[in-house]
Amino acid sequence: MVLPNNNPTLSGGSPHGTTEIATFIECPQKHGYKYSAKLTPLFRRRADDGRDTGTLIHVGLAHFYGAQITPPPDWIQDPFYAVTAVAQEKGWIHLLRDALTTLHLYIEVRTKKPQFTKIVAVEDPCQVYLTDRNGKQHIVTTRLDLVAHYKGNLVEANHKTSVRMSYARPGIDAAARLQFLLEAVLARSKYPNLKYVMVNPIQTSRNPDGARISDPEIIDLSPLAFSRLGCDIAFWKEKIAEVEARFPDPLNRPRTYLCKSRFGLCDFFPLCSTGLATLQYYTQDR
């Protein structure tokens, strides 16, 4: 039986989101393929399994914590049911065992030892308008994994899942770190009383040592840091607009040749390595 998917966490990436900015910093050409030309790879990498498993776990956590809101959102389902429904819809059945095993451990641990005293919001959409050096306003959007009270303070918790615990931290690579910090800016813009941003690291069951839930990592960013990050976001939005104006063809934009060593293998690496003639073999319209 195909389970119905009533889930707000899979609404799709925003063209104004923090992921878009991180992608542009990785490589303007990759940004052109993904966001301007609306292309997607036809092949899967091993890294995709880790990312998609993380998505399934995020779905389960949204329903687990969402049920603790008073009153709960009308889309709340049993976490394991919700994860199974998404896995069926997306064709990720081969990832289901890992996701459910990890989610079961997380819920078991956090039910015995709750982290938060009050859940405020889950998968909370928020946006902010930022002004660049030319006076142009840019809208930036994201979804906050979790906003809750933690040890008497309002915090934004960012779930980070990985096969290895060390890679569940936001500082491992530049793109993940930037995306995490951008989300912190947007969280503070919507919740002015937000005290901390915290990383909620979750190691999946694919690790030889099994799934593992660690204590959260608290990141206290000063008001000056938040202000500077807003300027940085506006700067990168300005650069995206400049590249799009100078290179209107999304299939012919500057490439970051060090992208592979800095950020890992690109989704469009075969295209970048063998030329535009092979476009049809690796990408398709969304």
Side-chain angles (χ1 to χ4, degrees):
M1 180 181 73
V2 177
L3 303 179
N5 174 21
N6 180 27
N7 200 317
T9 65
L10 296 176
S11 58
S14 167
H16 307 290
T18 53
T19 305
E20 181 205 8
I21 298 173
T23 300
F24 180 83
I25 294 174
E26 286 187 32
C27 180
Q29 180 61 89
K30 180 178 178 180
H31 176 272
Y33 291 148
K34 185 173 182 180
Y35 290 95
S36 298
K38 307 296 184 184
L39 302 175
T40 185
L42 282 175
F43 63 94
R44 287 182 60 85
R45 302 170 301 160
R46 291 186 62 184
D48 294 331
D49 284 347
R51 179 199 64 204
D52 296 339
T53 300
T55 296
L56 292 176
I57 295 171
H58 272 71
V59 168
L61 294 178
H63 288 270
F64 171 65
Y65 283 117
Q68 301 175 40
I69 299 175
T70 305
D74 58 9
W75 47 263
I76 290 297
Q77 298 173 323
D78 173 80
F80 302 101
Y81 178 101
V83 169
T84 303
V86 172
Q88 287 183 345
E89 179 184 318
K90 295 290 185 179
W92 297 343
I93 295 298
H94 64 295
L95 306 176
L96 190 55
R97 180 179 179 180
D98 183 19
L100 292 179
T101 301
T102 305
L103 179 63
H104 183 273
L105 175 63
Y106 183 94
I107 292 177
E108 182 180 48
V109 170
R110 293 310 176 202
T111 299
K112 293 179 180 178
K113 186 181 179 181
Q115 283 180 294
F116 308 105
T117 55
K118 182 181 179 181
I119 307 300
V120 176
V122 295
E123 292 298 325
D124 191 21
C126 63
Q127 65 182 35
V128 63
Y129 288 89
L130 298 171
T131 304
D132 64 24
R133 297 171 299 176
N134 299 320
K136 181 179 178 181
Q137 280 197 326
H138 301 276
I139 182 174
V140 184
T141 64
T142 193
R143 281 182 177 268
L144 306 177
D145 289 349
L146 177 67
V147 180
H149 289 274
Y150 176 80
K151 295 185 177 180
N153 295 302
L154 186 65
V155 303
E156 188 251 323
N158 194 299
H159 307 310
K160 291 295 181 184
T161 58
S162 178
V163 175
R164 292 176 58 188
M165 185 59 70
S166 61
Y167 287 96
R169 307 288 176 171
I172 296 301
D173 62 74
R177 181 171 65 249
L178 174 72
Q179 185 175 346
F180 174 80
L181 293 175
L182 298 187
E183 290 173 1
V185 173
L186 271 67
R188 178 65 66 84
S189 71
K190 186 167 185 177
Y191 299 95
N193 295 327
L194 193 78
K195 179 63 175 176
Y196 299 115
V197 175
M198 62 186 289
V199 181
N200 195 20
I202 304 168
Q203 177 177 284
T204 70
S205 63
R206 286 194 299 140
N207 184 274
D209 298 329
R212 184 156 59 97
I213 312 301
S214 290
D215 291 333
E217 176 183 345
I218 303 297
I219 300 177
D220 187 9
L221 298 177
S222 69
L224 179 61
F226 271 102
S227 176
R228 175 57 190 268
L229 284 167
C231 295
D232 289 346
I233 297 173
F235 170 80
W236 286 111
K237 293 293 288 187
E238 176 187 346
K239 289 300 178 185
I240 291 174
E242 288 180 358
V243 169
E244 289 176 339
R246 185 175 178 185
F247 301 91
D249 181 359
L251 305 183
N252 185 27
R253 288 183 179 161
R255 300 172 180 175
T256 303
Y257 288 102
L258 296 179
C259 183
K260 181 180 177 182
S261 60
R262 290 178 60 196
F263 302 105
L265 192 63
C266 174
D267 289 338
F268 302 99
F269 180 71
L271 171 60
C272 274
S273 63
T274 57
L276 293 174
T278 61
L279 176 64
Q280 61 181 325
Y281 297 114
Y282 296 99
T283 57
Q284 64 181 0
D285 291 335
R286 284 181 180 270

